[in-house]
Amino acid sequence: MNAVTRDLSEVVARLHVRLLTGGRDRGDMVGWILITVMTAALIAVLWAVLGPQLQDLLEEALNKAKGSVPG
């Protein structure tokens, strides 16, 4: 069997499996949920710790952009 025939048969086999499963490739759902929850927790912790500093930094930048620096 040459390389082209082997590749073609592999494509046909994958297409057959995809058609039988209806194209539903769920993957590692538990892993994605864990990544999403951990990312949300990390953002919440960073926001709680750095929130006031980020707000002050943003307000200062906006005031400088307007031309009025707080005294």
Side-chain angles (χ1 to χ4, degrees):
M1 181 184 300
N2 65 19
V4 174
T5 307
R6 186 178 58 237
D7 290 342
L8 183 59
S9 64
E10 183 178 327
V11 168
V12 170
R14 287 184 183 187
L15 181 60
H16 182 71
V17 169
R18 189 168 288 252
L19 288 174
L20 287 178
T21 61
R24 295 180 307 256
D25 187 14
R26 292 182 49 182
D28 184 16
M29 187 59 103
V30 175
W32 282 110
I33 292 171
L34 182 62
I35 289 171
T36 304
V37 169
M38 289 175 62
T39 302
L42 180 63
I43 290 171
V45 168
L46 287 174
W47 193 271
V49 172
L50 299 177
Q53 294 173 350
L54 290 173
Q55 184 175 356
D56 292 342
L57 184 68
L58 178 62
E59 287 176 1
E60 183 181 338
L62 290 173
N63 287 334
K64 283 184 182 179
K66 287 189 226 176
S68 62
V69 179

